[in-house]
Amino acid sequence: MSRIEKSLERAIEMRESLRKGPGKETRANTAAKADITKFESGEPLISAEAVDRQIVCIRDPNSLVAEQYKKLRARILKSAGDSLNTVMVTSSQIGEGKTITAINLAVAVAGQLDHTVLLVDADLRNPSVHKYLGMKPGCGLADYLRGDVKLSDALIKTGIGKLVLLPAGNPPDNPSELLSSEKMKGLVDEIKNRYSDRYIIFDSSPLLAAADSISLAGYMDGVLLVVQAGHTAPKAARKALSLIKGCRLLGAVFNNVPEYLARQQIYSYNVYGSTYGGEKNPR
Ligand SMILES: Nc1ncnc2c1ncn2[C@@H]1O[C@H](COP(=O)(O)OP(=O)(O)OP(=O)(O)O)[C@@H](O)[C@H]1O
Ligand SMILES: [Mg+2]
């Protein structure tokens, strides 16, 4: 059993021990005590009310917007085959919707599949997964890569399906070096090679901003490029694509297109209104 698998199992054991309360002094029990201390010292599990409203797959899973992420999930799982475990969500510049896409996609996948989905915040310069999930910052990927913590101490079982979070952790001075390190490659390789039924979704920093995501893309099975309507310049998107040439591009997410949602609304009214609502289909 690999270190990563052991860490995930330990996280699950800890949770179970916490739920069952005090009992025999087992390894899991001792670990659970350590975990209680960790939570008491201010590191919470996710509470749905604290999650940002834009994480619709948690806050409003039956909404039209959440449905779009489920469509994205379906497209990715369909194209996945056996050789796609690790997916990086990236974009050319800042603020195009990488993090919101990565979290919603991870929650959507975790909601469908009965196995662990790992969401990794690999934006070590501007980590925000924990903010959208309403969590306080704590240790994470950067601390693990620096050798300061064990992986098991950085993983957080979210309580949302089998979604496990690896937050970015304490900001490092050398994010590019950490993300392109042998240790990072080892982490990705181990997950990728041993667990063909697992999905690991990486949030990342903008491709044009620094070398971080360019290196990381080289370790991934697939890359999703987020392009924001009215925001991403075609030249920037082309440049971003040129930087990840040779990587498997799964496709682009055309994000924040209000007209698209309006069209979907009409579509769902026309189709589902006639089927389930008893309304006459106006088409
Ligand atoms: N589908 C969407 N609809 C409306 N607004 C969106 C959507 N996706 C993202 N946004 C808006 O874009 C902003 C940035 O989103 P997000 O944090 O996901 O981007 P990012 O690419 O991860 O940014 P950064 O490069 O700073 O990490 C947020 O303020 C969010 O409200
Ligand atoms: Mg982000």
Side-chain angles (χ1 to χ4, degrees), residues 4-278:
I4 293 165
E5 182 72 347
K6 277 182 191 154
S7 300
L8 292 177
E9 288 211 341
R10 242 187 86 203
I12 290 162
E13 277 177 7
M14 283 177 195
R15 174 83 170 194
E16 279 301 300
S17 304
L18 282 172
R19 200 173 54 76
K20 286 176 189 160
K24 213 176 140 204
E25 199 69 15
T26 60
R27 200 172 131 263
N29 219 289
T30 317
K33 277 184 189 162
D35 224 32
I36 291 168
T37 319
K38 201 169 147 195
F39 292 144
E40 278 176 351
S41 67
E43 205 171 325
L45 286 172
I46 290 169
S47 129
E49 299 75 46
V51 171
D52 190 285
R53 291 199 171 275
Q54 294 172 102
I55 309 305
V56 285
C57 289
I58 296 175
R59 293 299 306 261
D60 198 2
N62 298 319
S63 65
L64 207 52
V65 182
E67 201 55 40
Q68 309 315 306
Y69 291 109
K70 290 176 195 171
K71 281 192 206 167
L72 180 62
R73 168 186 72 191
R75 298 280 296 271
I76 288 176
L77 296 184
K78 193 168 161 232
S79 73
D82 291 336
S83 60
L84 193 133
N85 302 114
T86 52
V87 174
M88 181 175 96
V89 180
T90 194
S91 77
S92 57
Q93 291 160 306
I94 60 167
E96 294 174 307
K98 296 176 286 298
T99 305
I100 290 174
T101 303
I103 302 173
N104 276 307
L105 178 62
V107 173
V109 174
Q112 171 163 328
L113 302 177
D114 189 32
H115 54 231
T116 304
V117 175
L118 179 59
L119 173 63
V120 181
D121 190 346
D123 186 348
L124 302 186
R125 289 173 198 259
N126 180 28
S128 60
V129 172
H130 66 281
K131 293 182 197 163
Y132 282 113
L133 293 176
M135 301 167 77
K136 289 181 187 155
C139 67
L141 176 64
D143 307 272
Y144 167 73
L145 293 175
R146 274 195 300 250
D148 294 344
V149 296
K150 287 184 289 185
L151 187 64
S152 57
D153 291 334
L155 291 171
I156 296 171
K157 191 163 181 281
T158 63
I160 299 159
K162 288 190 177 172
L163 180 68
V164 175
L165 171 66
L166 178 56
N170 294 295
D173 297 331
N174 53 347
S176 283
E177 286 74 18
L178 286 182
L179 290 170
S180 59
S181 66
E182 279 302 308
K183 196 163 182 184
M184 183 71 211
K185 189 171 184 305
L187 176 75
V188 177
D189 277 350
E190 191 168 348
I191 301 167
K192 205 159 65 173
N193 297 332
R194 289 183 185 239
Y195 306 108
S196 54
D197 63 340
R198 302 278 157 88
Y199 287 93
I200 301 94
I201 295 169
F202 291 77
D203 183 26
S204 68
S205 55
L207 285 163
L208 300 191
D212 307 14
S213 298
I214 305 172
S215 317
L216 195 57
Y219 301 155
M220 297 289 130
D221 295 329
V223 177
L224 261 185
L225 188 76
V226 177
V227 174
Q228 183 158 163
H231 180 95
T232 309
K235 201 173 162 193
R238 274 197 294 274
K239 176 76 182 157
L241 286 176
S242 75
L243 292 173
I244 51 168
K245 206 168 171 190
C247 299
R248 180 176 170 194
L249 182 69
L250 298 173
V253 174
F254 197 34
N255 193 27
N256 196 4
V257 189
E259 314 84 61
Y260 176 79
L261 212 55
R263 271 204 307 275
Q264 294 296 302
Q265 222 145 12
I266 294 167
Y267 177 76
S268 69
Y269 173 78
N270 283 351
V271 174
Y272 295 111
S274 63
T275 313
Y276 299 115

